[in-house]
């Protein structure tokens, strides 16, 4: 059945303890385990120290919907079917533990477990994939252990309540995660089963942190090349018996050493003690079947950690039952070997006993179908023979409200925005975005010992940094710090490795070469050398190496520049890729400018079928020596080695080459100085960025952009006030007439009457002109319509179908225009008197000459 018992062969004492445990009552076992569970709960590192214990009996259920407090007729019928199913199951399998079917909810009402699952697709991209859902549930909720480790809980609250109070047991975790996965399209199921103590109590101190797990490398098969000219090895003349004895002795010694090492590891790592409840600890997790959402293989998800596990994982010791929002299945397979041999074909009635046979089949049958179309029971009802009424009952809809998570809750994740998890020799800390001023969201600390006292490495992840910093790795042993950046940094930085942010110290800078004009990919610098690596250059340059010498004594002289005491350049070496457009003899592969020795060394690319490459060594004339014009270039100034046969080059050509190389040397010196200045600028910028860290806020983040929103609204209100003021000034109906009067403050009665009459006459004239324009357009449209009607009557017989259709379209357009013009003309005639009276009333109340018009 569903319970797993582990009996070690040859150990009679453990067998007797197991038999005695079978005879104990669950309550007695629970009482004996109180101290053990209390001790284990103290070690849970996921619970923050400032989060107090929660009392579920004190929650407010008065505001919950009626579906939480009552059962519908279908739900009552479902409970009756479940009771009948449990009665049959207990009769057939009397040795099995009771099934987890209908616990009470937060309102004390019995609800079937399948109706507690509420499939919901949340509007967040991350929650569309199973790993995002699992990560959110494990981070958002606080784990509470079961009251009794060997029995399932007596209650199962709704996912909405669990989300509201951010805590729950393994069953609460699983139901919430399963609801989210089904809503995202996965074929997911809640599992009631048994697991190890580490899984049930969320003890990850012996587990390797997921961020430190390296993917398994598949060894490449060595290709053996056959060589028929290979020398055959001499025959083996050693005694095989002696070799066997030596091998046995070596195996014995190796086993002894491994045993000693194993004992040392046990004392060092402190492996967990033997669990007296191994195989009896109840746990709930999520099963995801293959098929839907392109899941290639069935797997488990531990909701406490959000990690995926294979179905053969030894930490999962057995399964009692599984369920989703449509049905409930009981595992009828033997779990003596854990879950390794289980077959998850829920259509197999021998291995899985289904409660509602008339309900929908598992989604595994229809992996490509949409959920709304997966209703085969409507068609099958006509084909099937009449069965038991209880067995053909369909699962009623969920009684739980839709699951909702606000953007603020989704972003904050962990309780109070922080979470700490201890792993084997590692500690993982998480924070909500914007909680830390430096943008830190995650930190992994790796230790050298199990006591977590000696730090080896620290990794920190950042978000929303203005300097585009994503990750920082600090090696405490070498004191090296490596910063990784997203695209968009001022200097196109990709990674920066350093000990100190000081000039002329060892540091390595990697760049996004696609964003740089010079194609620089990496620059490695120390106190005595600098190496630059390039990609995709037109001149095929890929490496530039510069060696610096020691500075001389610093002497300050009048007029001397501040940068006069720079590091002297000893040599500059450049390496080039092969240019296929040039012959190998003329394509330089490496050129070295020995500046202190006044020498230039050229090495060309290797020609085909040649073992050596051509070379040239140029010796420059020292600046102190002055020669005559006839001795500008002598044969001893250039030593040439030519691979293969070729003509001897003339001194004129060598002289021109030396001049070009001398000019290139000057340019390279300037380029090296620019590279040094860029390094100093980057180090100074990085130091300023670290001293004053700034975080970016999205324009869509209305909560954090409150200040900017208020500034925008204030600016908008000011602009609207100005526009309204200008609009009021522009709409002054007396402005054109007041210009005619010099002094508007002192008006006579005659002037006021004349202004009033002129203003009213002007309005009347404009209204009449507008009506006349509309009337003229109306008359013209009617005339055009009459002409079109006459033309159509004359030429109707000669028109084709297309021409007739085109004519009717134009005719309808003219008719519509006439209709619109008639409406506008009618409206103008109706509103003109009202406009005239309204203006007359405004003139009478105008404070500028209301006294004069009042006596009129």
């Amino acid at each position: 059945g569903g319970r797993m018992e582990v009996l070690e062969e040859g150990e009679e004492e453990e067998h007797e303890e197991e038999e005695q445990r079978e005879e104990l009552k669950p309550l007695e076992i629970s009482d004996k385990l109180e101290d053990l569970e209390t001790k284990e709960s103290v070690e849970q590192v996921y619970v923050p120290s400032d989060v107090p214990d929660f009392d579920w009996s004190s929650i407010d259920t008065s505001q919950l919907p009626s579906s939480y407090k009552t059962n519908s007729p279908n739900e009552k019928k479902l409970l009756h079917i479940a009771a009948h199913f449990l009665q049959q199951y207990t009769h057939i399998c009397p040795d099995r533990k009771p099934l987890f079917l209908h616990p009470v909810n937060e309102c004390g009402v019995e609800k079937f477990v399948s109706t507690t699952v509420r499939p919901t697709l949340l509007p967040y991209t991350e929650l569309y994939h199973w790993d995002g859902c699992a990560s959110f549930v494990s981070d958002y909720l606080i784990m509470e252990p079961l009251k009794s480790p060997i029995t399932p809980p007596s209650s199962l609250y709704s996912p909405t309540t669990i989300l509201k109070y951010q805590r729950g047991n393994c069953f609460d975790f699983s139901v919430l995660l399963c609801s989210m996965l089904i809503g995202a399209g996965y074929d997911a199921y809640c599992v009631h089963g048994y697991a190890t103590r580490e899984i049930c109590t969320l003890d990850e101190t012996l587990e390797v942190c997921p961020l430190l797990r390296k993917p398994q490398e598949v060894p490449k098969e060595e290709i053996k090349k056959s060589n028929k000219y290979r020398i055959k090895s001499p025959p083996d003349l050693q005694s095989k018996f002696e070799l066997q004895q030596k091998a046995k002795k070596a195996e014995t010694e190796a086993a002894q050493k491994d045993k000693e090492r194993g004992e040392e590891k046990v004392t060092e790592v402190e492996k967990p003690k033997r669990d007296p409840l191994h195989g009896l600890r109840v746990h709930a997790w999520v099963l995801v079947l293959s098929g839907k959402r392109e899941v290639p293989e069935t797997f488990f998800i531990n909701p406490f950690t959000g990690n995926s596990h294979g179905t053969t994982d030894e930490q999962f010791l057995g399964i009692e039952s599984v369920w989703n929002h449509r049905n409930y299945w009981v595992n009828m397979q033997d779990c003596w070997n854990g879950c390794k041999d289980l077959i998850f074909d829920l259509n197999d009635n021998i291995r899985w006993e289904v409660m509602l046979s008339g309900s929908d089949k598992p989604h595994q049958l229809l992996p490509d179908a949409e959920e709304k179309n997966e209703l085969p029971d409507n068609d099958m009802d006509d084909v099937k023979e009449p069965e038991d009424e209880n067995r053909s009952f369909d699962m009623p809809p969920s009684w739980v409200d839709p699951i909702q998570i606000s953007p603020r809750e989704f972003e904050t994740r962990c309780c109070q925005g922080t979470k700490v998890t201890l792993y084997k020799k590692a500690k993982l800390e998480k924070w909500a975005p914007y909680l830390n001023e430096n943008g830190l969201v995650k930190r992994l600390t790796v230790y050298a010992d199990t006591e977590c006292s000696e730090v080896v490495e620290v990794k920190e992840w950042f978000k929303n940094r203005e300097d585009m910093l994503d990750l920082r790795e600090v090696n405490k042993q070498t004191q090296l710090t490596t910063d990784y950046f997203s695209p968009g940094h001022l200097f196109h930085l990709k990674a920066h490795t350093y000990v100190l942010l000081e000039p002329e110290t060892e540091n390595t800078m990697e760049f996004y070469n696609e964003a740089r004009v010079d194609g620089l990919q990496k620059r490695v610098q120390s106190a005595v050398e600098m190496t630059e690596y390039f990609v995709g250059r037109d001149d095929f340059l890929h490496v530039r190496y510069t060696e610096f010498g020691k500075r001389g004594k610093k002497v300050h002289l009048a007029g001397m520049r501040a940068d006069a005491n720079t590091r002297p350049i000893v040599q500059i070496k450049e390496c080039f890729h092969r240019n296929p457009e040039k012959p190998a003899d003329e394509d330089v592969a490496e050129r070295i400018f020995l500046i202190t020795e006044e020498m230039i060394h050229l090495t060309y690319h290797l020609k085909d079928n040649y073992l050596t490459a051509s070379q040239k060594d140029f010796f420059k004339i020292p600046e102190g020596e002055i020669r005559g014009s006839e001795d500008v270039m002598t044969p001893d100034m250039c030593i040439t080695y030519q691979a293969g046969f070729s003509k001897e080059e003339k001194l004129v050509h060598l002289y021109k080459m030396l001049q070009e190389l001398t000019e290139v040397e000057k340019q390279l010196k300037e380029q090296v100085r620019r590279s040094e200045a860029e390094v100093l600028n980057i180090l100074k910028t990085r130091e300023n960025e670290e001293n004053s860290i700034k975080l970016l806020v999205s324009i869509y983040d209305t909560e954090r952009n409150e200040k900017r929103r208020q500034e925008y609204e204030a600016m908008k209100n000011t602009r609207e006030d100005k526009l309204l003021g200008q609009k009021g000034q522009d709409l002054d109906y007396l402005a054109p007439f007041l210009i005619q009067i010099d002094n508007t403050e002192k008006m006579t009665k005659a002037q006021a009457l004349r202004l009033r009459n002129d203003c009213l006459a002007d309005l009347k004239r404009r209204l009449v002109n507008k009506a006349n324009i509309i009337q003229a357009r109306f008359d013209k449209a009617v005339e055009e319509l009459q002409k079109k009607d006459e033309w159509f009557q004359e030429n109707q017989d000669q028109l084709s179908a297309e021409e007739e259709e085109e004519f009717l379209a134009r005719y309808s357009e003219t008719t519509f225009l006439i209709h619109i013009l008639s409406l506008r003309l009618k409206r103008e005639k109706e509103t003109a008197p009202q406009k005239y009276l309204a203006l007359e009333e405004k003139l009478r109340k105008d404070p500028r000459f209301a006294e004069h018009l009042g006596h009129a």
Side-chain angles (χ1 to χ4, degrees):
R3 187 183 56 188
M4 176 63 188
E5 295 182 359
V6 178
L7 301 177
E8 299 181 6
E9 297 180 358
E11 297 184 4
E12 297 181 357
E13 295 180 357
E14 295 182 5
H15 184 67
E16 292 177 358
E17 291 177 3
E18 205 64 44
E19 290 181 351
Q20 293 176 0
R21 191 174 299 107
E22 289 290 339
E23 299 175 357
L24 293 176
K25 295 181 180 180
L27 292 176
E28 294 176 357
I29 297 179
S30 179
D31 293 338
K32 292 182 180 180
L33 292 171
E34 286 182 359
D35 297 336
L36 178 61
E37 295 301 316
T38 304
K39 188 179 298 183
E40 290 178 353
S41 63
V42 174
E43 300 175 355
Q44 305 308 317
V45 296
Y46 51 83
V47 182
S49 58
D50 54 350
V51 177
D53 295 335
F54 188 75
D55 183 13
W56 283 105
S57 61
S58 62
I59 64 173
D60 183 17
T61 60
S62 59
Q63 303 298 326
L64 295 177
S66 59
S67 60
Y68 285 62
K69 303 174 183 179
T70 58
N71 280 322
S72 65
N74 283 339
E75 288 179 310
K76 293 179 180 178
K77 186 176 181 180
L78 177 63
L79 294 175
H80 176 72
I81 295 173
H84 182 64
F85 179 79
L86 182 60
Q87 184 180 3
Q88 292 181 335
Y89 170 80
T90 306
H91 178 71
I92 297 174
C93 306
D95 297 333
R96 295 278 294 269
K97 291 289 187 68
L99 295 175
F100 188 67
L101 287 173
H102 44 74
V104 297
N105 65 357
E106 54 266 43
C107 297
V109 180
E110 286 189 356
K111 296 287 185 178
F112 192 71
V113 290
S114 294
T115 60
T116 309
V117 178
R118 178 62 190 258
T120 307
L121 177 61
L122 294 165
Y124 303 103
T125 307
E126 183 180 344
L127 300 185
Y128 187 61
H129 302 279
W130 73 264
D131 50 352
C133 295
S135 176
F136 173 80
V137 171
S138 62
D139 290 341
Y140 191 77
L141 301 182
I142 298 175
M143 175 267 192
E144 290 184 346
L146 296 174
K147 293 181 180 179
S148 173
I150 63 172
T151 56
S154 59
S155 61
L156 182 64
Y157 292 171
S158 63
T160 55
T161 301
I162 296 301
L163 283 172
K164 180 179 179 180
Y165 297 101
Q166 284 190 252
R167 57 185 64 241
N169 55 42
C170 55
F171 287 85
D172 300 322
F173 274 67
S174 300
V175 170
L176 174 60
L177 179 56
C178 188
S179 301
M180 296 169 64
L181 292 177
I182 295 175
Y186 288 94
D187 192 7
Y189 302 82
C190 298
V191 180
H192 165 212
Y194 305 90
T196 60
R197 176 174 55 188
E198 289 72 29
I199 289 287
C200 297
T201 59
L202 189 52
D203 183 7
E204 299 181 271
T205 54
L206 298 180
E207 294 290 332
V208 179
C209 180
L211 298 175
L212 297 176
R213 295 173 186 168
K214 297 181 180 180
Q216 295 181 355
E217 296 182 358
V218 180
K220 296 182 180 179
E221 296 181 359
E222 297 182 358
I223 301 175
K224 296 182 179 180
K225 296 182 180 180
S226 60
N227 188 0
K228 61 182 180 180
Y229 300 107
R230 182 180 56 191
I231 300 175
K232 295 182 179 180
S233 57
D236 188 7
L237 303 177
Q238 293 183 358
S239 171
K240 294 182 180 180
F241 177 76
E242 292 180 357
L243 292 175
Q244 290 177 358
Q245 295 298 321
K246 289 181 180 179
K248 288 182 179 179
K249 185 177 180 181
E251 290 179 0
T252 306
E253 293 178 355
Q256 184 67 22
K257 290 182 180 179
D258 291 341
K259 186 177 180 181
E260 293 176 358
R261 291 175 184 174
E263 292 176 355
E264 293 176 0
K265 288 182 179 180
V266 169
T267 56
E268 179 185 357
V269 179
E270 294 184 1
K271 290 188 176 181
K273 299 179 181 179
R274 178 179 173 274
D275 184 13
L277 297 179
H278 189 76
L280 298 174
R281 292 183 180 271
V282 173
H283 189 56
W285 64 93
V286 174
L287 165 70
V288 181
L289 295 183
S290 60
K292 300 192 71 175
R293 287 297 305 272
E294 300 180 359
V295 176
E297 188 177 355
T298 301
F299 64 96
F300 294 150
I301 301 177
N302 183 11
F304 283 165
T305 61
N307 298 331
S308 63
H309 301 265
T311 56
T312 59
D313 197 318
E314 296 180 352
Q315 298 181 93
F316 298 93
L317 305 177
I319 292 178
E320 287 282 2
S321 60
V322 301
W323 69 89
N324 62 0
H325 63 302
R326 297 183 183 275
N327 216 329
Y328 188 95
W329 293 266
V330 180
N331 177 31
M332 305 304 293
Q333 304 172 74
D334 194 356
C335 293
W336 67 272
N337 196 21
C339 299
K340 295 181 180 179
D341 302 329
L342 296 184
I343 298 176
F344 295 95
D345 182 10
L346 301 184
N347 296 314
D348 190 342
N349 294 330
I350 298 177
R351 294 184 172 92
W352 296 92
E353 183 67 29
V354 63
M355 195 182 81
L356 302 178
S357 60
S359 184
D360 294 338
K361 296 294 182 183
H363 298 167
Q364 198 175 17
L365 294 175
L366 303 170
D368 300 327
E370 294 293 336
E371 188 172 327
K372 61 182 180 181
N373 296 328
E374 296 176 1
L375 299 173
D377 42 318
N378 294 336
D379 300 333
M380 294 176 66
D381 286 344
D382 301 334
V383 181
K384 281 187 174 183
E385 295 182 0
E387 295 183 356
D388 185 12
E389 182 182 358
N390 294 342
R391 302 285 285 179
S392 61
F393 179 75
D394 287 340
M395 187 69 65
S398 177
W399 54 274
V400 180
D401 275 355
I403 299 173
Q404 295 180 352
I405 300 173
S406 65
R408 185 71 173 179
E409 294 171 343
F410 178 72
E411 184 186 68
T412 305
R413 296 290 183 93
C414 315
C415 184
Q416 299 184 358
T418 180
K419 178 182 179 180
V420 182
T421 307
L422 291 181
Y423 294 97
K424 180 181 178 181
K425 299 182 181 180
K427 180 175 69 173
L428 181 62
E429 303 166 272
K430 294 181 180 180
W431 293 272
Y434 298 101
L435 187 64
N436 295 320
E437 295 181 354
N438 60 350
L440 182 64
V441 295
K442 186 164 58 176
R443 178 193 291 149
L444 175 64
T445 307
V446 182
Y447 300 93
D449 53 347
T450 55
E451 290 79 12
C452 299
S453 59
E454 182 183 352
V455 180
V456 176
E457 184 183 10
V458 178
K459 292 184 179 181
E460 295 178 333
W461 286 263
F462 301 87
K463 275 188 179 180
N464 308 310
R465 292 267 298 227
E466 193 178 46
D467 57 3
M468 312 306 293
L469 179 63
D470 277 342
L471 171 63
R472 172 172 293 155
E473 296 180 354
V474 181
N475 192 323
K476 295 297 183 179
Q477 296 177 340
T478 60
Q479 299 301 320
L480 280 177
T481 302
T482 304
D483 296 339
Y484 297 91
F485 301 84
S486 295
H489 190 270
L490 178 63
F491 294 97
H492 312 293
L493 272 177
K494 185 177 183 180
H496 184 201
T497 303
Y498 58 92
V499 177
L500 296 172
L501 289 174
E502 295 181 0
E504 299 183 14
T505 57
E506 294 186 4
N507 62 79
T508 302
M509 299 178 183
E510 296 183 27
F511 302 89
Y512 290 97
N513 58 281
E514 303 88 355
R516 292 183 62 102
V517 178
D518 57 356
L520 180 62
Q521 185 184 39
K522 185 170 70 171
R523 179 185 287 130
V524 182
Q525 187 183 21
S526 66
V528 296
E529 61 184 9
M530 179 175 64
T531 307
E532 296 173 300
Y533 301 88
F534 302 89
V535 174
R537 287 178 62 110
D538 296 335
D539 58 357
F540 298 93
L541 175 68
H542 65 93
V543 176
R544 179 187 293 143
Y545 170 79
T546 306
E547 181 183 351
F548 300 97
K550 295 182 179 180
R551 287 188 177 89
K553 293 183 178 180
K554 192 171 183 180
V555 179
H556 290 284
L557 298 176
M560 183 181 290
R561 297 190 312 170
D563 59 347
N565 197 30
T566 55
R567 293 179 295 176
I569 301 175
V570 176
Q571 69 166 331
I572 301 175
K573 181 173 69 174
E574 290 186 316
C575 300
F576 299 86
H577 288 302
R578 180 77 172 89
N579 185 358
E581 296 180 359
K582 292 182 179 180
D585 284 347
E586 301 177 6
D587 189 13
V588 178
E590 179 182 278
R591 62 186 182 189
I592 303 175
F593 297 88
L594 299 171
I595 297 173
T596 56
E597 300 178 11
E598 298 289 341
M599 176 182 172
I600 302 174
H601 176 74
L602 300 181
T603 303
Y604 293 87
H605 281 280
L606 195 67
K607 293 194 294 186
D608 295 338
N609 302 323
Y610 276 77
L611 298 177
T612 58
S614 301
Q615 297 181 0
K616 282 188 177 70
D617 289 337
F618 290 93
F619 300 93
K620 296 189 298 181
I621 301 175
E623 295 181 0
E625 298 182 10
I626 301 175
R627 298 185 180 184
S629 59
E630 69 279 359
D631 294 331
V632 170
M633 187 70 187
T634 58
D636 60 345
M637 293 175 61
C638 179
I639 300 176
T640 303
Y641 167 72
Q642 189 68 31
F645 175 78
S646 63
K647 295 181 180 180
E648 184 178 355
E649 292 187 73
K650 296 182 179 181
L651 290 178
V652 176
H653 297 160
L654 296 175
Y655 175 68
K656 290 182 179 179
M657 187 180 296
L658 179 58
Q659 283 184 323
E660 293 176 358
L661 291 173
T662 304
E663 185 64 26
V664 169
E665 181 180 324
K666 294 180 181 179
Q667 296 175 1
L668 284 178
K669 288 181 180 179
E670 296 177 357
Q671 181 60 45
V672 170
R673 297 307 181 193
R674 287 197 295 268
S675 298
E676 287 185 289
E678 185 182 21
V679 170
L680 294 177
N681 198 3
I682 291 175
L683 293 176
K684 185 177 180 181
T685 303
R686 288 292 301 124
E687 187 176 0
N688 294 335
E689 289 173 346
E690 291 298 327
N691 291 335
S692 58
I693 298 174
K694 297 180 181 179
L695 300 182
L696 297 173
V697 179
S698 172
I699 58 174
Y700 303 105
D701 193 343
T702 56
E703 294 184 6
R704 293 188 177 88
N705 271 338
E706 182 67 23
K707 183 178 179 180
R708 297 184 64 182
R709 186 179 64 83
Q710 291 177 358
E711 293 176 355
Y712 173 76
E713 289 182 354
M715 183 179 63
K716 184 179 177 182
N717 294 335
T718 306
R719 188 183 302 169
E720 289 179 354
D721 293 341
K722 291 181 179 180
L723 291 174
L724 287 175
Q726 294 176 359
K727 195 173 182 181
Q729 294 177 2
D730 296 338
L731 294 179
D732 188 3
Y733 39 85
L734 287 175
F737 307 99
L738 289 173
I739 297 176
Q740 303 174 8
I741 302 175
D742 296 336
N743 191 359
T744 58
E745 296 180 358
K746 297 179 180 180
M747 281 192 303
T748 63
K749 183 177 181 181
Q751 289 176 337
L753 290 173
R754 184 162 58 85
L755 282 176
R756 171 182 175 277
N757 295 333
D758 292 346
C759 186
L760 292 175
D762 181 72
L763 176 62
K764 184 177 181 181
R765 184 171 60 255
R766 286 190 286 109
L767 293 175
V768 171
N769 290 339
K770 188 176 181 180
N772 290 336
I773 293 173
I774 297 174
Q775 183 68 44
R777 293 184 64 188
F778 178 79
D779 295 340
K780 184 178 179 181
V782 171
E783 184 179 354
E784 290 180 358
L785 185 64
Q786 291 177 354
K787 290 180 180 180
K788 289 181 180 180
D789 196 6
E790 293 175 359
W791 182 85
F792 181 73
Q793 295 295 338
E794 294 176 358
N795 303 320
Q796 184 177 5
D797 299 336
Q798 302 176 2
L799 295 176
S800 62
E802 295 179 357
E803 293 175 343
E804 184 175 354
E805 184 177 356
E806 183 180 358
F807 173 80
L808 293 176
R810 294 180 179 179
Y811 188 86
S812 61
E813 290 179 1
T814 308
T815 306
F816 180 73
L817 178 61
I818 292 173
H819 176 67
I820 295 298
L821 290 174
S822 63
L823 292 177
R824 290 185 61 187
L825 186 61
K826 181 180 179 182
R827 185 181 62 184
E828 288 296 327
K829 291 180 179 180
E830 292 177 353
T831 58
Q834 299 176 1
K835 292 180 181 179
Y836 186 86
L837 294 175
L839 180 59
E840 187 177 16
E841 184 67 22
K842 287 181 179 179
L843 292 174
R844 185 175 298 278
K845 295 181 179 179
D846 195 301
R848 285 171 287 190
F849 50 86
E851 296 180 359
H852 303 292
L853 295 180
H855 299 288

